[in-house]
Every structure is written in C-alpha cells, then in structure tokens.
Amino acid sequence: MHSFSRIAVVGLGYIGLPTAAVFAENGVEVVGIDVNPDVVASINQGRPHFGEPNLDALVRRVVEGGKLRATTDVEPAEAFIIAVPTPLRGHGEGAQPDLTYVEAAARAVAPVLAAGNLVILESTSPVGTTERMAAILAELRPDLTFPQQKGEMAAVQVAHCPERVLPGRILEEVVNNARVIGGMTRKCAQRALSLYRIVVRGECRVTNARTAELAKLTENAYRDVNIAFANELSFICDRLKVNVWELIAVANLHPRVNILSPGPGVGGHCIAVDPWFIVATNPDEAKLIRAARLINDAKPAFVCAKVRERAAALKRPVIACLGLSYKKDVDDLRESPAVEIVRRLAHEGVGELLVVEPHISRLPRELEECGLALHDFDLAMERANVVLLLVDHMSFLQVDRDVLKDKFVIDTRGAW
Ligand code: SAJ
C-alpha cells in the first residue's frame, strides 16, 4: 500500500481534472477543488467540462465509483496538488506572469494544512514561485514549520512538479511521461516522488524546485525557438520563391537536421506563453528566446497579408477559414493564431468570412462580436472562392481535391 490515501487537487482544468481522475483510478480518494461552481457540478455528474480523448469515460467511472468528488471548499488532505492557471498579463514585450491564482490557492489551502502534509505546485511558473507559495503558507500558518525555515525538519513538505502533458494525449502522457520532481529539500522531493509513483510509469527525476521551474520553461522555450526557426525560413522562402515545406523535407534528409514545421503562428497555453516567463526574469540574457517569440508572433499578420493579396484579385471574395483551434484535432482555442487571423481579417473587412471549426459548437465571443458565424464544412467549401487552411484537422485533410480545384488555396500548414 502507498502512503497517500486521500489527496486534494486544486484547480480542475486541463491538467488538474485529468490528474485527479488518474489518481482516483489508482485507488486514491481524491477531492477536486475548483472556484467555479459550474465546473464542480458538471464533474460531480461525471462530465468533464472540456474535451479530451477518453476523459469522459474515466471521469464518469471514478465519480460513480466514489473515488473522485468535486467541491468549491478546500478540505483537509494528506497532499495538495495545485494546478491553477499562471497566465501572462499583457502581450509581447513587457508581459508579466500573473501569479494571483497560485497565491489564492496557497491562501485557500493554508487553513486546512496539517503537520505531515505535502503541497505540490504543478502550474508552470517563473523561477521562485514555489518559494513564494511556501512563504504565503508560512505566513498564514505560524503554528507549522516549512522547508524555508526548518529545511529537512519542516513539518510541511513543499515541491514543484511541473505538468508536461500534450493536450489531446493527456491521459496517456500523465502516466507515461518522465516527470521532474523538484523539492524545496531532498525530503520534500522524496515525498513528492512517492506520490507520483502511484500513477507515473515514466522516469521520475528528482531535483530542486528552482531547477524544476526553469526546466519546464526551458522545454517550451526550446520548442518555441525551433518553431521560430521554421517560421523564419517561411518568411525567407516567401521572398525567395522557394517552397518552404519542400525545402525543410530536403534539409531534413541530413542525419543531424530535424527542422519543425512552419505554421500560422504558435498558440496554446504554454509554448506561446512560457518563454516570456524567462524573458520577464532575465530580460538581458534571454535574447534568442525573445527573438523567437517575436518571430512566431509575427506570423498571423503575414498570413493576413497573403489573404488580403488574394482577396484583392477577386470581385467578391468569399473566404472559407478552416480551423480555429491552436493545433490539429483539439477544441482548445487558447492563444490560437487562427482566431487572431480570423479576427484581424474581420476587422479589416477582407471579404466574406465563412468560419469552420468542427470541434466547437459556438464561436468565441470576440468573433461573434465581429458578426461572424460557424459554418458547415461542405457548405462553406461550396460557396468559397478562397480557402484558408489554418488548422490541419484530420477531417480537413480528407477533402476531395476536386473541391479545391477552382479556388485560391492558402495552406498555412503545408498539409494539402
Ligand atoms: N507548431 C508549429 N510547428 C510545429 C509544431 C507545433 O507551428 O512544428 C505549433 C502548433 O500548431 C501549436 C503550437 O506550435 O500552435 C504548440 O503546439 P505543440 O503541439 O508543439 O505543443 P502544446 O502547446 O500543445 O504542448 C506543449 C508541449 N511541450 C513541448 O512539446 C515541449 C507539452 O509537452 C507541454 O506539456 C505543454 O506544451 C505545456 O503544458 O507546457
């Protein structure tokens, strides 16, 4: 038997809910805590409030089995996993991480903490956030001792174990990915390790909290920089009239070259955001990381210019905008470059826009406010004279080539 029989997960979003459900599936009693009563009600009926493969069935099973229960009130537990958002305030240069949700979670957990408890921060955070969380806990609970005060002798253990799962594959990756377990002390790390061992089959690498914080940011900055390289090539190729996808396929024949794919920009809640957390703490050192962000952020305007150019050649441009999510086969619109492109086109009044996104049932408000509506794929393809492929959803790739024959096609993903 493992040493945790009851844990609490604070924040039941894309990471917290799957994490809670997987622990529950492994026999741990899990209390899920969220400030949103609608989310709590939905989960208690066995229904996740967002789409993710296989999550519906799992949540239903563990809720019906009595292993997962959601509530808006924090309850005592042996371990607390905090998985709340750490958004970026502002855009581009000068944007700053907003840690108010982490701080609020720490304040919520503090009153129910007891000696022997473990508090883990899973949210992606700038370096120093775990220490800040521990400082809040210590301030609110002077009757307990924390690692920054008593080191290995502390009554409460604190660690940072960043989530690293890929939306669309969360349930698989939460179990199989390697985990970085960053303890404020060695004992903190060992205790966190024993918790994750209940569910994680991948390697668990123990380190300190600051290294774990920077590791997560580094992973996403690494990917952002590599995508920026591909996007920069797409700008260069456009000027030189070279097909960028063919170029990359040819260059990648070299055994030590592996260039990623250019696209309409970089979206999602992590890669487009996390590198700024590094720039925010190290503005003088993070030169390449900043440049990569700016290159990727410049891509939507470039795509819009291409569409404008095409539309200008037509008397009555009708543009099918295919896909809104930040990447293929998910319903997640966070930081999506496709949404930004459609919004810009609408504001600029470029043609009639027919938006297609099979993974959602309602347009985000910012697009509804532009007077746009969701369209059926076949009808949009029938009416459009320009087809703008923004997301390489599987269903779009199966389109009959004849349908595209007489249309201007702008394929931002190199998928057709
Ligand atoms: N993209 C490209 N070209 C590529 C690859 C991706 O333009 O060659 C774009 C995608 O279309 C998307 C964005 O980049 O807009 C990010 O997509 P992604 O699939 O690379 O990553 P995410 O944001 O879904 O998930 C990432 C993952 N991190 C890494 O791969 C280093 C995941 O493991 C992390 O857990 C997640 O961020 C996170 O939560 O941090």
Side-chain angles (χ1 to χ4, degrees):
M1 268 306 279
H2 42 74
S3 58
F4 294 90
S5 54
R6 181 182 158 92
I7 70 165
V9 177
V10 184
L12 297 174
Y14 282 86
I15 303 304
L17 180 57
T19 302
V22 166
F23 272 101
E25 169 108 315
N26 280 274
V28 181
E29 186 190 336
V30 183
V31 188
I33 297 148
D34 201 285
V35 291
N36 185 337
D38 296 335
V39 165
V40 165
S42 172
I43 292 168
N44 283 332
Q45 287 160 17
R47 282 187 288 111
H49 54 101
F50 57 89
E52 174 65 30
N54 306 320
L55 186 63
D56 278 56
L58 174 61
V59 168
R60 197 173 334 110
R61 214 162 47 237
V62 292
V63 169
E64 277 171 8
K67 281 293 181 189
L68 172 64
R69 181 171 53 83
T71 164
T72 53
D73 304 313
V74 179
E75 296 177 13
E78 292 153 34
F80 297 84
I81 295 179
I82 296 177
V84 295
T86 44
L88 197 67
R89 289 286 164 235
H91 272 288
E93 201 73 63
Q96 291 294 325
D98 175 359
L99 301 178
T100 51
Y101 299 102
V102 173
E103 291 166 3
R107 288 207 181 83
V109 163
V112 302
L113 270 188
N117 281 178
L118 167 68
V119 183
I120 293 176
L121 178 64
E122 276 211 12
S123 312
T124 304
S125 303
V127 175
T129 308
T130 308
E131 290 159 6
R132 191 157 151 185
M133 179 182 82
I136 294 173
L137 297 175
E139 189 192 314
L140 295 173
R141 291 300 302 272
D143 56 318
L144 293 170
T145 56
F146 293 84
Q148 68 274 29
Q149 305 161 323
K150 288 277 158 126
E152 303 288 11
M153 304 303 289
V156 177
Q157 314 299 322
V158 181
H160 179 57
C161 306
E163 59 80 12
R164 306 162 99 190
V165 293
L166 198 70
R169 292 167 44 91
I170 295 181
L171 288 181
E172 195 195 313
E173 293 207 0
V174 112
V175 171
N176 293 315
N177 282 6
R179 291 297 292 239
V180 179
I181 314 269
M184 279 186 68
T185 63
R186 284 202 67 78
K187 194 168 158 195
C188 294
Q190 288 307 324
R191 188 124 164 85
L193 176 66
S194 66
L195 177 64
Y196 283 101
R197 270 280 160 248
I198 298 171
V199 295
V200 175
R201 276 192 235 127
E203 180 184 346
C204 292
R205 180 69 64 94
V206 167
T207 180
N208 60 49
R210 291 175 79 86
T211 304
E213 286 165 341
L214 191 54
K216 169 62 195 258
L217 304 179
T218 300
E219 290 160 14
N220 284 341
Y222 169 85
R223 195 150 166 89
D224 198 43
V225 167
N226 281 279
I227 298 169
F229 183 75
N231 278 332
E232 182 163 294
L233 286 177
S234 77
F235 295 134
I236 293 168
C237 286
D238 183 66
R239 181 64 54 89
L240 297 178
K241 302 207 180 334
V242 169
N243 179 319
V244 69
W245 286 282
E246 191 186 351
L247 168 81
I248 290 173
V250 169
N252 280 349
L253 289 173
H254 187 289
R256 286 175 295 284
V257 174
N258 184 15
I259 304 169
L260 295 178
S261 306
V266 169
H269 54 302
C270 288
I271 295 187
V273 173
D274 297 356
W276 287 123
F277 287 22
I278 301 180
V279 178
T281 54
N282 295 69
D284 295 334
E285 293 85 13
K287 296 190 184 73
L288 177 62
I289 294 171
R290 176 197 287 110
R293 270 293 64 241
L294 296 176
I295 290 166
N296 288 333
D297 273 357
K299 205 65 204 277
F302 173 85
V303 173
C304 288
K306 289 276 157 227
V307 178
R308 256 195 322 270
E309 204 179 293
R310 282 290 184 214
L314 294 166
K315 209 152 107 207
R316 211 173 163 281
V318 179
I319 306 164
C321 304
L322 304 185
L324 282 182
S325 62
Y326 82 93
K327 66 175 188 179
K328 67 174 171 182
D329 303 328
V330 300
D331 67 352
D332 193 338
L333 305 188
R334 288 179 292 174
E335 309 294 326
S336 174
V339 172
E340 191 189 332
I341 289 166
V342 171
R343 187 178 26 133
R344 274 173 181 248
L345 293 173
H347 279 171
E348 292 169 12
V350 182
E352 184 186 351
L353 304 177
L354 310 177
V355 183
V356 181
E357 178 44 88
H359 296 269
I360 59 173
S361 52
R362 213 186 146 170
L363 279 184
R365 201 157 36 144
E366 54 180 317
L367 295 186
E368 276 183 352
E369 283 168 3
C370 299
L372 299 174
L374 262 184
H375 286 75
D376 170 76
F377 176 76
D378 291 328
L379 294 179
M381 294 300 272
E382 216 173 281
R383 289 201 46 220
N385 46 24
V386 178
V387 179
L388 173 60
L389 183 73
L390 293 168
V391 187
D392 43 347
H393 287 317
M394 199 87 87
S395 59
F396 296 157
L397 303 192
Q398 286 153 1
V399 67
D400 182 353
R401 293 301 140 120
D402 277 356
V403 176
L404 299 174
K405 218 169 52 218
D406 306 319
K407 304 178 192 299
F408 277 129
V409 173
I410 302 170
D411 175 1
T412 68
R413 297 279 180 177
W416 282 337

